[in-house]
Amino acid sequence: MNQGRTCGGFHFHFQLSFSMEEDEFFGEKLFQHYCAEFIKHSQQIGDGWEWRTSKDCSDGYMCKTHFQIKNGMGHPGTSAHVQECLPMEEALELPLDDSEVTETTAATEVIKYEYHVLHSCSYQVPVLYFRASFLDGRPLALTDIWEGVHECYKMRLQQGPWDTITQQEHPILGQPFFVLHPCKTSEFMTPLLKNSRKINRNVNYITSWLSIVGPVVGLNLPLSYARAAFQDE
């Protein structure tokens, strides 16, 4: 495979022939490799992921911003927290007249989500940081985030929310973000990776991991990411 690749503005000059070993070590170098492959496909399908670095830090992170519509007035038999993706162009074209805004927001609310994927040196796994706010800049509270978690995850969340979603400082930006705690990541990723090796199937760690943890906070990946990983075999 090629030794030099550029993706999202960052370069790799090492042999792209990685495979997770039995100890499932996932260092910064391997993290950036999988992010590069992930972003390459994102650019191909226009999914909005990009790589960012800080001038004060050599480490980088993968990020995406998107908008969701949150139903404010639920209809009979539906949840008040049903969400759907809203393209950025539509979100920025909301009515400017006060009466129109009042009428619109009475039925729906538009929420801006920022998702950041970083590498955890402590746990040696990727970590999903995110924050959410209304278009007027008001941030969502931690309780709002908990309430918006998909139904199939709420049981675990109610048993120990602080083990699932917490709020802490972004390690690179130094700003408050919500984070999905990484303490269980190796527990569910190790069997998946071992099974992939057993059947000799190529997987992108970031793609597999994000497809599992992302839906907890409203982040869903197109199926084409999985197909892209298989095509790279």
Side-chain angles (χ1 to χ4, degrees):
M1 301 180 69
N2 296 333
Q3 285 192 319
R5 288 195 181 184
T6 302
C7 187
F10 58 110
H11 300 262
F12 298 95
H13 299 288
F14 47 85
Q15 194 72 24
L16 300 185
S17 57
F18 294 104
S19 63
M20 300 296 288
E21 301 298 332
E22 288 302 320
D23 60 0
E24 311 304 338
F25 178 77
F26 191 80
E28 177 74 27
K29 193 174 182 180
L30 190 56
F31 167 74
Q32 291 192 6
H33 159 66
Y34 283 124
C35 284
E37 294 298 307
F38 184 93
I39 292 174
K40 181 177 70 173
H41 183 69
S42 173
Q43 292 174 337
Q44 292 172 349
I45 65 173
D47 196 33
W49 287 94
E50 61 179 350
W51 181 262
R52 290 183 184 173
T53 55
S54 169
K55 62 180 181 180
D56 302 321
C57 179
S58 59
D59 295 334
Y61 58 94
M62 195 171 70
C63 62
K64 174 182 179 177
T65 299
H66 80 127
F67 297 85
Q68 290 184 356
I69 294 177
K70 176 182 177 183
N71 291 342
M73 296 176 60
H75 297 287
T78 63
S79 168
H81 295 285
V82 173
Q83 297 178 341
E84 58 181 296
C85 182
L86 182 70
M88 183 177 297
E89 293 79 5
E90 293 184 25
L92 298 178
E93 292 176 359
L94 291 179
L96 297 178
D97 182 79
D98 289 343
S99 61
E100 293 183 53
V101 171
T102 301
E103 183 178 348
T104 301
T105 56
T108 61
E109 292 176 300
V110 179
I111 302 175
K112 175 185 176 182
Y113 283 84
E114 290 183 57
Y115 297 104
H116 292 195
V117 175
L118 290 82
H119 178 258
S120 169
C121 295
S122 301
Y123 289 91
Q124 291 295 307
V125 294
V127 187
L128 179 60
Y129 285 79
F130 68 100
R131 59 184 173 185
S133 63
F134 297 102
L135 293 185
D136 62 5
R138 290 178 296 121
L140 268 68
L142 186 53
T143 53
D144 296 325
I145 298 297
W146 287 345
E147 290 174 1
V149 171
H150 195 282
E151 289 293 333
C152 65
Y153 298 101
K154 281 191 174 180
M155 180 74 69
R156 178 184 171 187
L157 188 61
Q158 291 167 352
Q159 294 173 349
W162 290 105
D163 292 333
T164 308
I165 300 176
T166 62
Q167 189 171 32
Q168 59 184 246
E169 184 178 283
H170 192 291
I172 295 179
L173 300 182
Q175 302 170 359
F177 269 71
F178 298 111
V179 60
L180 284 173
H181 201 278
C183 61
K184 300 293 185 181
T185 300
S186 292
E187 184 178 310
F188 65 76
M189 285 300 295
T190 297
L192 184 153
L193 296 170
K194 288 184 176 180
N195 183 64
S196 297
R197 284 199 302 271
K198 187 181 300 184
I199 62 177
N200 197 30
R201 171 166 289 180
N202 184 41
V203 296
N204 181 307
Y205 190 109
I206 295 296
T207 299
S208 300
W209 163 78
L210 203 53
S211 67
I212 295 172
V213 304
V216 177
V217 291
L219 177 61
N220 298 292
L221 296 183
L223 291 175
S224 62
Y225 279 99
R227 290 195 293 268
F230 297 152
Q231 290 170 359
D232 287 339
E233 293 185 72

